[in-house]
Amino acid sequence: MNRGGEDRDVEGLYGASAQDDSVGVAPAFVDESRLLKHLVLSVAQAPDTISAMATALREICRATGWDYGEAWLPEADDDVLALHPVWHTASLELSRFETEFEGTRWVKGQGLPGRVWASRAPEWLHDLTDSSAFVRAAAAARTGFQAGLGVPVLAGDDVVAVVVFFTRHPRPAEEQRVGLVNAALAPLGPVIQRMRAEEALKTLNRTLERRVAERTAELEQSNADLRAEIAKRASFERELRSSEAKLKRAQTLAGLGSFELSLDTAAQTHWSDEACRILGIGAPASSMTTSGFVEAAVHGDDRARVALCFEQAVLARKPFDIEYRVEWPNGDVRTVFNAGRPLYKRGRPVKLACTVLDVTERRDAEQALLEYRNELAHLARVATVGELATGLAHELNQPLSAISHTAQACLRWLQSGRTDQREILEQLQHVSAEARRASEIVRRLREYLRKRTTQHTRVDLNAVVEDTLRLLERSAQQAGVRVNRELAQPLPSVTADEIQIGQVILNVVRNAIEALADDSGPQRVISITTSHAADTVLMEVEDSGPGIGRDDLGKVFEPFFTTRTDGLGMGLAISRTLVEACGGTLVALPSPGSSRGVTFRLSLPVMSTQE
């Protein structure tokens, strides 16, 4: 009862009749000016909007003879009305009515509060038990309410509240009573609007104070961590101070420098000695801009790329990292890794804070490793061709024998005077075809053996499979192995080194042939399939051989691991390295649906449309 405000003795203001709620008629109206003056004074002294509305409800109900008053205030988003202060005379039924509708919300046009909110005009209901006019008619009937009045509280064109009054006495619409209530509430609109604005401001201030306190705590913790770090570094520096030469040597070995670049010529920049050494420039002036740095230190071929990286980092307000070359004054070219982030002042970018690391030796080592891998792969190809020499000689001997026999036949015809030009022409065309066949065998062999650097280009995997199987055709025949192909058409191109991928396929298929050659099983079959899904091209080589134990499946790609007595154990290890260099994978799996055999699955990325 009487939520949000305290009862006061108003007999002196309104007279005894103004407080008499037990009679069935409205109490005598008080002097309007006295009511308004007292009401405005009481509301102005209220500490908040809820208390102000509670005071207004109490004063108006007592002055104009209402049993129950409730105030509905727009929520912060102004989409609904919410019930806040309620005042009523002492009654259990009225308390139940109040409790029943706590938490209720009204939208514009809904219920008596919503209709008054939408129309911005008072509305009198002479029968609250009529459910067609009053949504809460059932509750009103239980409580004994007879008539009601809804009045908007306006501040300019805005409805800042809707006040609703109910009485348990029959009461027809009275213009004087409506006018008095409307007049009493009219001055409250600007007051309530101001109070709500002040409350919103106080809430915002409390939020800001809380955030400032949280941030202050974070900063204090950061400062404590920083002090601990500074103390730790100071201790470290004290330990190293006895030998400045040792300190400089450690910095040189670490190869890490820090520097700043100005986005505003007025901003001061700081450089470490190690950064100057790595970048090959003398100590810069008090300020060095990004454009000045690119011009002074970056290699000519990398300048546009570095400048674009700096610009994008500033626009995106994100950290960056980039690798590029720098050219020292003596002509030496070094490769550096540069990471950093923009620094801001009053929301405007002013600097790039950077760290730089000399990665020249690392890149040289990677290049040497790549060359070593290529050399190892080349030696493996040479060894493979040596092992396949018998089959290759037989394959090459076939077109050469055909050329020899056909040429001898043509000579005999010419020596005997037989000059059938058409027949001789057919034989010469046969000689030409066999010569092209022999030339193609030699070309494939030379291309396979050629020592070259890695070249990632567009590769047709189906074509590489067919070329590789031609090299292994004789070996498969000698081992009694049937090779089945199921190559998807069309198959997207992949990005890879064609010769190295051919070497991988040759190693895998050759291993399968050798496994089947010693197998006593009923069938010796190798199935090769290609397919693609999404952005990946797959090739699977499945054999019907004895298979590989599950414990050994995970070891087949380890260097020097082999299940053959005459094997070196390097072929599959080299193959996986070559595939991973192309961004692909090579795995060994048990053949599905069978206790025998093994499946090698090769996956390579589909060539990008931008490549």
Side-chain angles (χ1 to χ4, degrees):
M1 171 180 163
N2 308 333
R3 294 192 297 125
E6 299 178 353
D7 287 339
R8 296 179 183 176
D9 184 5
V10 294
E11 181 176 354
L13 175 64
Y14 305 127
S17 60
Q19 301 181 56
D20 185 3
D21 296 324
S22 60
V23 297
V25 297
F29 294 126
V30 299
D31 180 74
E32 180 176 333
S33 61
R34 292 171 60 197
L35 171 61
L36 293 179
K37 181 178 179 181
H38 180 75
L39 187 60
V40 170
L41 181 61
S42 299
V43 168
Q45 293 175 348
D48 53 47
T49 305
I50 304 301
S51 299
M53 292 305 303
T55 299
L57 290 174
R58 183 185 66 241
E59 302 295 343
I60 294 176
C61 284
R62 288 182 167 180
T64 57
W66 297 101
D67 297 307
Y68 187 98
E70 58 185 18
W72 299 85
L73 302 178
E75 292 286 294
D77 53 10
D78 288 336
D79 289 337
V80 295
L81 290 175
L83 180 63
H84 284 290
V86 172
W87 183 92
H88 56 77
T89 57
S91 168
L92 180 61
E93 292 81 3
L94 297 184
S95 297
R96 289 173 179 171
F97 184 86
E98 174 189 354
T99 304
E100 184 173 352
F101 295 101
E102 284 184 346
T104 302
R105 300 288 188 273
W106 302 107
V107 297
K108 282 189 177 180
Q110 181 186 19
L112 177 58
R115 292 198 302 271
V116 172
W117 187 17
S119 66
R120 298 170 61 246
E123 180 176 343
W124 186 288
L125 294 179
H126 66 278
D127 183 8
L128 294 182
T129 61
D130 182 1
S131 60
S132 63
F134 189 58
V135 175
R136 296 179 282 174
R142 290 194 301 271
T143 308
F145 285 149
Q146 298 291 324
L149 171 65
V151 181
V153 181
L154 301 175
D157 294 331
D158 298 328
V159 177
V160 296
V162 173
V163 180
V164 178
F165 301 99
F166 301 131
T167 179
R168 289 182 288 184
H169 307 295
R171 182 178 294 172
E174 303 175 11
E175 291 185 6
Q176 183 181 3
R177 188 181 299 273
V178 173
L180 178 59
V181 173
N182 206 21
L185 291 173
L188 301 185
V191 176
I192 294 173
Q193 187 178 50
R194 175 182 57 79
M195 294 180 74
R196 298 203 74 181
E198 290 174 351
E199 291 169 3
L201 183 59
K202 290 177 181 178
T203 301
L204 179 60
N205 286 337
R206 286 193 296 270
T207 302
L208 290 176
E209 289 173 357
R210 176 178 53 80
R211 291 181 178 176
V212 169
E214 292 173 353
R215 183 57 179 160
T216 301
E218 292 174 1
L219 290 175
E220 289 175 350
Q221 182 60 45
S222 298
N223 287 336
D225 294 342
L226 182 59
R227 286 193 295 270
E229 182 67 20
I230 291 173
K232 183 179 178 181
R233 292 187 180 185
S235 175
F236 180 71
E237 289 172 359
R238 284 193 300 271
E239 293 174 2
L240 294 180
R241 193 173 297 132
S242 61
S243 175
E244 186 174 355
K246 182 178 179 181
L247 175 60
K248 289 184 178 180
R249 187 162 56 251
Q251 291 176 337
T252 302
L253 289 174
L256 183 65
S258 62
F259 64 99
E260 295 176 335
L261 295 176
S262 173
L263 303 172
D264 182 345
T265 55
Q268 297 291 318
T269 57
H270 302 280
W271 286 63
S272 70
D273 293 340
E274 188 65 12
C276 295
R277 185 196 66 78
I278 293 173
L279 296 170
I281 61 177
S286 59
S287 178
M288 175 173 278
T289 62
T290 53
S291 58
F293 168 77
V294 170
E295 187 67 27
V298 180
H299 189 279
D301 294 341
D302 295 343
R303 288 173 183 169
R305 183 168 58 89
V306 174
L308 179 61
C309 176
F310 290 165
E311 180 181 351
Q312 290 176 339
V314 173
L315 292 176
R317 293 176 171 257
K318 292 182 177 180
F320 69 90
D321 59 76
I322 185 173
E323 189 171 300
Y324 54 87
R325 293 167 295 171
V326 294
E327 188 170 1
W328 287 3
N330 62 2
D332 287 350
V333 176
R334 309 289 292 179
T335 302
V336 301
F337 176 78
N338 182 186
R341 63 183 180 88
L343 297 179
Y344 296 85
K345 185 176 182 179
R346 299 187 183 92
R348 185 172 61 88
V350 293
K351 293 181 186 178
L352 290 181
C354 304
T355 58
V356 63
L357 181 68
D358 190 334
V359 295
T360 305
E361 285 73 19
R362 182 186 303 175
R363 294 296 171 259
D364 290 345
E366 291 174 353
Q367 181 62 31
L369 181 62
L370 176 62
E371 293 173 0
Y372 173 76
R373 186 189 68 199
N374 291 337
E375 181 69 21
L376 186 61
H378 176 255
L379 292 176
R381 291 197 297 273
V382 172
T384 301
V385 170
E387 295 175 6
L388 298 175
T390 302
L392 292 172
H394 176 80
E395 185 178 1
L396 189 58
N397 189 52
Q398 286 182 335
L400 293 179
S401 296
I403 292 172
S404 176
H405 294 327
T406 304
Q408 289 176 7
C410 289
L411 287 174
R412 286 195 298 270
W413 290 344
L414 292 173
Q415 290 171 354
S416 65
R418 182 178 175 182
T419 57
D420 186 339
Q421 184 176 3
R422 180 177 179 181
E423 188 173 3
I424 293 176
L425 181 60
E426 289 178 355
Q427 294 301 317
L428 290 176
Q429 289 174 340
H430 179 64
V431 168
S432 177
E434 292 298 328
R436 287 195 299 272
R437 179 184 170 193
S439 175
E440 180 63 20
I441 294 172
V442 174
R443 183 198 66 78
R444 292 201 307 269
L445 187 59
R446 289 183 62 190
E447 187 68 21
Y448 186 72
L449 288 175
R450 185 161 62 92
K451 189 174 181 180
R452 54 196 283 279
T453 59
T454 301
Q455 298 175 3
H456 288 175
T457 59
R458 180 189 296 271
V459 174
D460 182 348
L461 190 60
N462 283 344
V464 177
V465 171
E466 293 289 0
D467 286 346
T468 304
L469 292 181
R470 292 190 188 97
L471 291 175
L472 294 169
E473 185 175 0
R474 180 63 179 172
S475 297
Q477 291 174 354
Q478 290 177 339
V481 175
R482 185 175 79 253
V483 180
N484 296 331
R485 306 172 178 82
E486 188 176 339
L487 308 182
Q489 297 290 348
L491 191 68
S493 298
V494 298
T495 302
D497 185 293
E498 183 173 354
I499 299 303
Q500 292 182 354
I501 291 302
Q503 180 178 355
V504 172
I505 298 173
L506 187 142
N507 284 340
V508 173
V509 177
R510 182 163 161 263
N511 282 352
I513 293 173
E514 291 174 350
L516 290 169
D518 301 329
D519 186 41
S520 58
Q523 290 186 330
R524 298 179 179 181
V525 181
I526 297 175
S527 299
I528 301 177
T529 61
T530 59
S531 61
H532 71 91
D535 55 354
T536 302
V537 170
L538 299 175
M539 185 201 75
E540 292 187 348
V541 178
E542 180 182 358
D543 66 64
S544 60
I548 302 175
R550 289 188 177 273
D551 293 339
D552 291 338
L553 271 178
K555 302 177 182 178
V556 295
F557 296 105
E558 295 178 2
F560 307 112
F561 177 84
T562 179
T563 57
R564 293 164 43 206
T565 57
D566 59 343
L568 184 60
M570 289 298 295
L572 290 178
I574 294 173
S575 296
R576 171 173 274 187
T577 301
L578 296 177
V579 171
E580 289 176 347
C582 299
T585 59
L586 179 63
V587 297
L589 305 167
S591 292
S594 173
S595 60
R596 293 172 55 82
V598 65
T599 299
F600 283 85
R601 179 180 296 160
L602 166 68
S603 66
L604 292 169
V606 172
M607 187 173 191
S608 171
T609 56
Q610 298 178 353
E611 296 184 61

